Amino acid sequence: MASDTKKFQAIISHCKEYGFIFPSSEIYDGLSAVYDYGQWGSELKKNIREHWWKSMTQFHENIVGIDAAIFMHPTTWKASGHVDNFSDPMIDNRDSKKRYRVDHLIEAHAEALETAGKKDAAEKVIATMESLLATNDYTGLKKFIEDEKIKCSVSGTSNWTDVRQFNLMFSTQLGSVAEDANEIFLRPETAQGIFVNFLNVQKSGRMKIPFGIAQVGKAFRNEIVARQFIFRMREFEQMEMQYFIRPGSQKEWYEFWKGERMKWHVNLGISSDKFRFHDHTKLAHYADAACDIEYNFPIGFKELEGIHSRTDFDLKNHQEFSRKKMQYFDPEVNQNYIPYVIETSVGLDRTVMMLLSEAYQEEDLSTNDKQDSRVVLKFPPTLAPVKLAVLPLTKKDGLPEIGRRVMDICKTRFKCFYEEKDTIGKRYRRMDAIGTPFCVTIDHQTKEDDTVTIRFRDSMLQERLPVSSLITLIESRLQSNN
RNA sequence: GCGGAAGUAGCUCAGUUGGUAGAGCGACAGCCUUCCAAGCUGUAGGUCGCGGGUUCGAACCUCGUCUUCCGCUCCA
C-alpha cells in the first residue's frame, strides 16, 4: 500500500511535469479539487471520449448521442429528486469531531428506542423529525436532538454544533437584473438532459424500444470533501448512456449492460482482475438494482462506472411535473407505457486516471556496465496523445528536411510530434514519458534509399522500413490496438 | 469540516543561534557530427505560498489565510 501511495504521488507529479494535468488556477494557489488538462492530457481525454462515443453510437445502431445544455429548467431538479435528496442537513459532535447526517442520527436514535420496546416513542421521534425536515427548521432540529438527549456514539456526549445545510448543487442566476433573476443550477448529473429530451429524440429519430441515448458532458457537485487528484472533482465529465426498455425486461438488460461495459474496460487492454463489480445493497431513490464497476487504482478499488436500473422513476416524475406524457406506444405488445431505463454512467476523468495508473511504469534498464531507467506511459496506441514522433538523427546534412517531409505525410492522418534537439536517446525518453507509441528516426541511410527506422515504445526495438509504408504500418497497429 | 504534516528555481532539495538565497537535474542557445537519459560552453528563472505582526533587519519567530498530502468524515 505504501508503494502504491508512492506510485500515486509519482503519477500526479508526472502529469504535471509532462503537461497532462495541472491544478486549476495554479498561479493563484490553485482551486481546491479543480484541475486543468494540459496539452497531452486533453489529447488523451479527447481520445477516450471519442473511443467511448464510437463504441456507443457507432457500434450500436439503436443508440444515438445528444449534447444537452448544462443549464436546465429548475423544475428538472425537483422532478429528479435532487432538490430533496441532494442537500443534507448535517451536525457535528464537538468532542468526537464526528459528522452525522441529521436524519441518520435521529433514525438511529429511533431504532434504539424501538429495540428497547418503546415503539410509540420511536414513531413519534420519526414523525417529529420528518415535520422539522420538511420545513427546513434547523434550529428546531438541533433543539430536538438535544431534547431527546441523543448522544454521539463515539464520544458519548451531546456537545453538538448547529445543524448546517450542505447543498451539493451549484447555483447561479439566470437573468442579469437581480430582482427578476431566477436561481438555476449547474447540473449535478448529465442524465436529466437525456430524460427531458426522451420524446424529442424518440419522435424525431423514430426510435423503437429498446434504444439508447448517449451523452458526454460536464457535471458539477459541491462535494463536502473532494480529493484524491482527479478522482473526485467538483467539476467533472461523465459519459452516460440511458437505455430505454420495456417494463419488466430490466433484469435482463441490466445484466446485458453490466457485461457490455465490463468488456469495454477489459478491451482497453486492462487485465480483468483489476476490475470487480460492487453491488449496491442500499439503493438510491430511483433504482431497483445498481452496481459499480470498480477499478483497482493505486489508491485501492474505487468506483469507475455505475450501472443502474432506474425503473421509470425519472420519466414518470418528469411526466408528473411537466404534465407532458412521457409514454411510448409499443406496437409489438400493442401498449402505451412509460419505458424503464438502464443507465451506464462512467466518469471520464476517472477513466483518464485509470489509464494513467495502468500505463505508468518505471523501468529499470540497467546493464552490467551502466545504470539506466525510464518512465514510460504504455497507453493503448489508439488513446495515446501523440502517435508518432519524427526525429532526424542530427540537425545537419539535410536530415531535418526529410523529417519535415515525413511530418507532412503523416500529420494529416494522426497526431505527430517533430523534434530535432538533443541526443536521440533523450528524445526517445521524452516520448516514452508522454506515451508516444512510435518514433521514426531519419538517418544518413534515409538519404540513399528513403528508409527510416521505427522504434516501438514498449519493446524499444527498431525496424527499418521505407517511408512509403510508414502510414500503413502505423495505422494497422492503431487498429489492432497493440 | 475536524486532526496531523508540508509549502524555498520547472523538479529534488540545502540554507548553520533571524543579517535581504544556493546546488544538482531540467529548460533555452550553441559545440561535439550522435540510434536509447545524466559530455562541453554559455544564458535565463525565485518579492522563499499569500497577508498582517515582532524586529534596525524575517526564508527562519508569531498570528491569520490559501493550497497539497495522510487519517477521519461525507459521497446518487
Side-chain angles (χ1 to χ4, degrees), chain A residues 108-146:
Chain A
H109 174 62
E111 258 173 53
L113 286 175
E114 196 164 333
T115 317
K118 299 174 184 164
K119 207 168 175 195
D120 293 347
E123 278 167 16
K124 208 177 147 202
V125 163
I126 294 292
T128 312
M129 174 188 82
E130 278 172 359
S131 75
L132 287 168
L133 280 174
T135 53
N136 291 331
D137 184 354
Y138 301 139
T139 327
L141 279 166
K142 186 187 180 185
K143 190 168 179 297
F144 182 58
I145 287 169
E146 286 171 342

Side-chain angles (χ1 to χ4, degrees), chain A residues 93 96-98 100 151-157:
Chain A
N93 183 274
S96 66
K97 310 292 183 194
K98 291 270 175 195
Y100 296 87
K151 290 185 173 64
C152 168
S153 59
V154 175
S155 67
T157 67

Side-chain angles (χ1 to χ4, degrees), chain A residues 404-443:
Chain A
R404 285 293 171 194
R405 202 185 87 227
V406 174
M407 273 299 279
D408 288 340
I409 296 168
C410 293
K411 75 181 183 191
T412 57
R413 312 299 283 264
F414 35 75
K415 177 77 178 167
C416 300
F417 186 84
Y418 179 85
E419 173 88 284
E420 58 186 46
K421 280 185 186 37
D422 292 313
T423 62
I424 192 68
K426 242 184 197 177
R427 282 180 274 167
Y428 285 152
R429 297 303 161 85
R430 276 203 287 261
M431 287 299 106
D432 289 340
I434 66 166
T436 305
F438 311 108
C439 293
V440 151
T441 306
I442 289 108
D443 57 17

Side-chain angles (χ1 to χ4, degrees), chain A residues 225-434:
Chain A
V225 174
R227 246 192 257 167
Q228 288 169 316
F229 196 39
I230 57 171
F231 183 80
R232 179 168 290 115
M233 295 193 288
R234 299 213 157 91
E235 172 180 344
F236 60 101
E237 201 159 340
Q238 294 183 306
M239 305 189 288
E240 296 204 321
M241 193 277 300
Q242 309 290 336
Y243 202 69
F244 299 93
I245 56 171
R246 194 177 291 165
S249 65
Q250 64 266 36
K251 281 244 152 38
E252 138 202 358
W253 283 113
Y254 175 67
E255 292 302 326
F256 173 82
W257 281 108
K258 273 174 76 169
E260 283 293 295
R261 293 305 303 151
M262 186 59 98
K263 257 190 264 168
W264 188 85
H265 291 291
V266 171
N267 281 343
L268 294 173
I270 301 172
S271 154
S272 59
D273 61 16
K274 299 293 281 285
F275 296 104
R276 70 180 186 199
F277 284 110
H278 175 251
D279 292 314
H280 291 197
T281 44
K282 215 183 116 200
L283 294 170
H285 61 274
Y286 55 72
D288 75 349
C291 70
D292 298 333
I293 295 177
E294 295 185 335
Y295 168 75
N296 194 3
F297 287 98
I299 50 176
F301 271 103
K302 299 266 183 188
E303 179 185 356
L304 176 69
E305 170 153 12
I307 296 158
H308 303 137
S309 173
R310 294 184 77 125
T311 70
D312 58 355
F313 176 88
D314 299 278
L315 289 178
K316 199 170 72 190
N317 275 318
H318 284 304
Q319 173 169 293
E320 190 184 320
F321 279 81
S322 68
R323 278 166 301 194
K324 306 278 190 315
K325 280 202 170 167
M326 293 288 164
Q327 293 187 344
Y328 171 82
F329 179 72
D330 190 333
E332 280 180 46
V333 291
N334 205 28
Q335 261 181 5
N336 253 316
Y337 56 79
I338 298 177
Y340 270 45
V341 172
I342 303 296
E343 167 186 79
T344 72
S345 174
V346 56
L348 176 49
D349 309 279
R350 288 178 183 186
T351 310
V352 170
M353 191 164 131
M354 169 174 77
L355 282 158
L356 285 166
S357 311
E358 201 61 31
Y360 183 90
Q361 318 230 344
E362 293 169 9
E363 289 184 348
D364 185 2
L365 305 174
S366 298
T367 58
N368 284 337
D369 18 275
K370 200 178 157 203
Q371 281 227 325
D372 198 3
S373 67
R374 67 166 181 168
V375 173
V376 54
L377 299 183
K378 295 186 171 176
F379 295 125
T382 38
L383 301 179
V386 177
K387 313 301 185 207
L388 173 70
V390 178
L391 314 171
L393 194 57
T394 72
K395 46 181 147 177
K396 288 185 185 170
D397 305 332
L399 300 187
E401 286 74 7
I402 302 173
R404 285 293 171 194
R405 202 185 87 227
V406 174
M407 273 299 279
D408 288 340
I409 296 168
C410 293
K411 75 181 183 191
T412 57
R413 312 299 283 264
F414 35 75
K415 177 77 178 167
C416 300
F417 186 84
Y418 179 85
E419 173 88 284
E420 58 186 46
K421 280 185 186 37
D422 292 313
T423 62
I424 192 68
K426 242 184 197 177
R427 282 180 274 167
Y428 285 152
R429 297 303 161 85
R430 276 203 287 261
M431 287 299 106
D432 289 340
I434 66 166

